[in-house]
Amino acid sequence: MNRREILRRTAAAGLLATPAAGLLAGCATSGGDDKGDSGAYKGTKSEKNPLGVKEDAPLEVVIFNGGFGEEYAKSHEAMYKEQYPKAKINHSATQEISKTLQPRFVDGTPPDVVNNSGAGQIDFNGLVSQNALADLGDLLAAPSLDIPGKTVKDTLLPGAVEVGSYDGKFLVMNYTYTVYGIWHSTKLFADRGWQYAKTWDEHIALCKQIKAAGIAPWTYAGIHPRYMSWPLISTAIKLGGPSVALAIDNLEPNAWKSDAMKAAADAWHQIVKDKYILEGSPGLDHKQSQTAWCQGKAAFISCGSWLESEQKDVTPAGFNMTVQPTPSLGSGDKLPFEAVRGTAGEPFMVPAKAKNVAGGLEYFRTMLSKKGAQDFTKKVASLTVVAGATEGVELPFGLNTVVKALEASGSNGFNWVYNNYYRKLERNLVDAACGEFFSGRIGPAEFLDQCQKGADSIAQDSSIKKYKRAA
């Protein structure tokens, strides 16, 4: 299982379809024997121990064993042990979070820390609606472990708290910070004398030039075509402003059919019509399409900043992958070319019925220390949500371009969270519409209609809890 499957991401969601949600209900209402009592282990709060950790309480940590592996977690656990040497840590890793942990949520004996990620993650909508997650508010208010004079919240990048908040409660700690954009090889472009295009018209002209050179301008993960929804929606947001994303997140009527979304879909349809996509892409998974891109068969690919780490075993020396923003549609765009989508991902949670809730929060405080964040970045070549944590860390070429893109984007960065709120909408409904659209089987109007029908089906389903994101 690789990083591609991890996301979700960041962001997250996708429980146990309907049956699971029903089973989870038992965990929300079951109650209180010694085994499953919430926060059974409690210590005394003090300046040194702001979260009230019981120093000899065991801590159980379950990690998703995906693209990031599990070694980084073992380092965080060792840091926790330095603070609490009497605590025994039970570490395990799995690629099937839902299958492994669902029974334990049901009987009220969940672990203390869960990295709820991957294709088999537990649906956050179900967990939140059934009060199965501990409130992480005390963590935000606690002092940083190693950044003097700042609370944990003060140390986080913009949006890190919002993306894990539901109805105003911070319930999910998303640890990585992902930038989404369009990737190309600096070496390929330098060798060919090509310049990355800042406007859509220039992009299409460049695609024509690339195709004439015998290289496909684009490829994509045809098995997971939602990857192409990311630059399309980004194009619309840059044209129409952040309100485009807000309407989609809040399931507003015809949000997918806004003027900005229509303009973006029309633009992206051109690369389909003009056959600027590598032949066979609709049948490729994310690894196959990314590998074809690394082999120089295509010039562009849409992905998040985990790409470099995921492709490290097959990337040629000197390839020098670079992330860039989506091109601007024109001078009427409300956001500048430099604006990129950045968001927190890789979700961690402390179950409400964990025996050592305070220990779980303290483990997060360890992860969110400068030392913890730097160690993670060194091990897996990915950014964390801790601001300034790359200082003094030697970054690989691609990740350096991610940092530069974030700096250039500044306060113009944007994001959306409908995929966190309603996993099915992105993973099933929008995904299917993208598959039809980018393979050329449907046009822009039908594509947006399918997306809107998917959003409407979620909005009308009374069994799904709805969330409202503020502007």
Side-chain angles (χ1 to χ4, degrees):
M1 174 108 29
N2 36 56
R3 173 64 193 149
R4 206 83 274 91
E5 289 304 313
I6 288 187
L7 264 229
R8 31 46 184 344
R9 326 237 122 95
T10 216
L15 207 169
L16 352 128
T18 307
L23 287 175
L24 250 190
C27 102
T29 55
S30 67
D33 63 8
D34 186 46
K35 246 167 65 172
D37 256 346
S38 169
Y41 296 112
K42 293 177 181 175
T44 303
K45 291 185 178 182
S46 65
E47 189 175 338
K48 189 179 178 184
N49 183 9
L51 295 169
V53 179
K54 191 170 187 294
E55 62 176 21
D56 60 350
L59 183 76
E60 184 180 1
V61 179
V62 178
I63 297 297
F64 169 64
N65 195 6
F68 293 142
E70 58 180 310
E71 292 308 310
Y72 76 89
K74 292 178 180 177
S75 292
H76 290 152
E77 289 158 11
M79 293 175 200
Y80 182 94
K81 282 279 284 184
E82 288 175 15
Q83 293 283 107
Y84 301 97
K86 295 180 183 177
K88 179 184 178 184
I89 295 181
N90 179 2
H91 168 100
S92 62
T94 178
Q95 292 185 355
E96 297 289 345
I97 293 292
S98 177
K99 284 182 185 176
T100 305
L101 297 182
Q102 179 190 343
R104 296 185 58 187
F105 272 91
V106 173
D107 69 13
T109 61
D112 303 307
V113 171
V114 179
N115 174 201
N116 186 31
S117 191
Q121 70 184 164
I122 306 175
D123 177 25
F124 279 107
N125 191 293
L127 290 166
V128 173
S129 64
Q130 294 164 53
N131 301 313
L133 302 183
D135 189 331
L136 306 180
D138 285 352
L139 167 70
L140 295 179
S144 165
L145 208 52
D146 59 2
I147 303 175
K150 292 192 175 183
T151 64
V152 169
K153 185 177 182 180
D154 293 336
T155 68
L156 304 182
L157 287 167
V161 174
E162 286 75 8
V163 91
S165 296
Y166 295 78
D167 290 337
K169 282 187 177 180
F170 183 49
L171 301 174
V172 182
M173 193 278 281
N174 288 280
Y175 189 52
T176 64
Y177 201 81
T178 300
V179 170
Y180 292 81
I182 296 174
W183 294 76
H184 71 272
S185 162
T186 301
K187 182 180 188 304
L188 173 65
F189 273 49
D191 289 349
R192 299 280 181 163
W194 297 333
Q195 291 285 330
Y196 186 81
K198 292 187 175 183
T199 70
W200 189 257
D201 288 346
E202 290 169 354
H203 179 76
I204 293 301
L206 178 58
C207 284
K208 186 175 182 179
Q209 197 179 350
I210 292 169
K211 187 176 180 180
I215 299 171
W218 275 89
T219 187
Y220 70 100
I223 305 300
H224 311 291
R226 65 182 178 276
Y227 286 16
M228 290 301 286
S229 73
W230 303 336
L232 191 154
I233 297 172
S234 295
T235 299
I237 292 170
K238 290 171 82 163
L239 174 63
S243 62
V244 174
L246 191 66
I248 288 173
D249 290 344
N250 290 338
L251 301 177
E252 290 181 12
N254 290 319
W256 288 87
K257 295 183 177 182
S258 67
D259 289 345
M261 285 297 294
K262 286 177 182 175
D266 285 344
W268 282 92
H269 191 230
Q270 194 166 353
I271 71 166
V272 181
K273 283 191 304 182
D274 293 349
K275 301 190 184 307
Y276 289 152
I277 296 174
L278 178 69
E279 191 174 342
S281 291
L284 303 179
D285 65 18
H286 59 282
K287 289 288 280 187
Q288 291 168 327
S289 59
Q290 290 163 192
T291 299
W293 174 72
C294 283
Q295 291 169 343
K297 294 177 181 177
F300 299 116
I301 196 164
S302 161
C303 202
S305 50
W306 61 80
L307 177 64
E308 184 176 41
S309 177
E310 191 166 71
Q311 292 301 111
K312 62 185 178 185
D313 293 338
V314 298
T315 304
F319 185 81
N320 291 351
M321 62 179 70
T322 295
V323 69
Q324 290 277 9
T326 52
S328 302
L329 278 184
S331 58
D333 278 21
K334 291 189 177 176
L335 294 178
F337 162 75
E338 291 80 10
V340 294
R341 178 192 176 201
T343 182
E346 201 57 27
F348 285 75
M349 61 193 188
V350 174
K353 287 189 173 292
K355 290 186 75 174
N356 192 2
V357 169
L361 267 61
E362 182 67 21
Y363 181 78
F364 288 173
R365 193 164 77 115
T366 302
M367 292 175 69
L368 295 170
S369 66
K370 192 169 186 178
K371 180 182 177 183
Q374 287 186 331
D375 188 81
F376 178 85
T377 296
K378 287 173 184 174
K379 280 186 167 61
V380 306
S382 180
L383 304 179
T384 70
V385 293
V386 180
T390 58
E391 185 185 325
V393 179
E394 190 174 339
L395 302 177
F397 189 95
L399 197 57
N400 249 321
T401 73
V402 170
V403 173
K404 288 175 183 174
L406 267 179
E407 289 172 351
S409 178
S411 61
N412 292 306
F414 58 89
N415 188 33
W416 56 84
V417 294
Y418 83 90
N419 52 311
N420 292 356
Y421 289 167
Y422 315 109
R423 174 185 171 95
K424 179 183 175 184
L425 180 52
E426 187 195 45
R427 291 295 181 105
N428 297 76
L429 306 173
V430 171
D431 194 62
C434 285
E436 295 294 293
F437 181 57
F438 284 99
S439 63
R441 289 190 289 269
I442 62 175
E446 196 175 347
F447 165 69
L448 296 177
D449 189 54
Q450 286 190 18
C451 292
Q452 188 58 54
K453 283 179 178 173
D456 291 344
S457 71
I458 300 290
Q460 293 158 13
D461 189 338
S462 60
S463 71
I464 298 174
K465 181 174 171 60
K466 310 303 188 301
Y467 300 97
K468 194 85 170 169
R469 181 165 76 84

